[in-house]
Amino acid sequence: MLELTMATVSGAEEGATAGMLMADAPSDPGAVLRVGRDKSVCRLVTPEEWLFVSRVHLEFLCGPEGAWQVTWLQGSQAEPSSEVRLVSGAYAQPLTYGGTVTLPRGGSGEIIVIDRTGPRSVNVGFYHEA
């Protein structure tokens, strides 16, 4: 099972959890959870006017062994208007545009999408059951 929580944070709201959204999916091969602005394909949807987030920005996919991975999908622009970081415990790394990272089994952390033009972010917490 992969559990996700998402909070959109703007400027002075940092640390606020009001309006947090949640989604989960069983660790069945091929299961998918998406984060972005497009309500028709994303389980967790950001504000439509937040253009630093693509229509489909992050895709969480369960592989054949039940391990989940996250991909920062490339959008229509050659250069993204955001940065994406993965934080898990003391471990932190940037995700590359179009890159994929496997999430730790039995672990938790956060994927942070940061607007390069202003003090806004999308914080997606995850818990991947062992």
Side-chain angles (χ1 to χ4, degrees):
M1 171 86 59
L2 180 69
E3 298 173 353
L4 300 177
T5 57
M6 183 186 80
T8 53
V9 181
S10 178
E13 298 173 350
E14 195 165 341
T17 56
M20 189 172 284
L21 302 173
M22 298 162 81
D24 61 26
S27 293
D28 297 333
V32 177
L33 290 170
R34 293 183 184 97
V35 177
R37 292 182 293 121
D38 189 339
K39 294 177 183 165
S40 68
V41 293
C42 296
R43 290 274 303 274
L44 295 174
V45 180
T46 63
E48 197 168 304
E49 67 277 5
W50 283 26
L51 300 180
F52 71 97
V53 177
S54 302
R55 285 183 350 92
V56 182
H57 202 87
L58 300 173
E59 181 176 81
F60 294 83
L61 174 66
C62 186
E65 304 297 320
W68 284 87
Q69 62 184 29
V70 60
T71 301
W72 179 6
L73 300 173
Q74 283 198 271
S76 58
Q77 303 298 317
E79 286 294 316
S81 55
S82 63
E83 296 174 23
V84 178
R85 293 188 201 137
L86 168 73
V87 179
S88 183
Y91 177 77
Q93 79 175 66
L95 263 70
T96 57
Y97 190 43
T100 300
V101 173
T102 300
L103 300 178
R105 277 186 179 236
S108 62
E110 189 171 37
I111 311 284
I112 306 167
V113 180
I114 303 162
D115 185 354
R116 288 185 171 164
T117 64
R120 299 183 294 184
S121 67
V122 176
N123 300 9
V124 180
F126 67 87
Y127 174 68
H128 182 200
E129 289 184 355

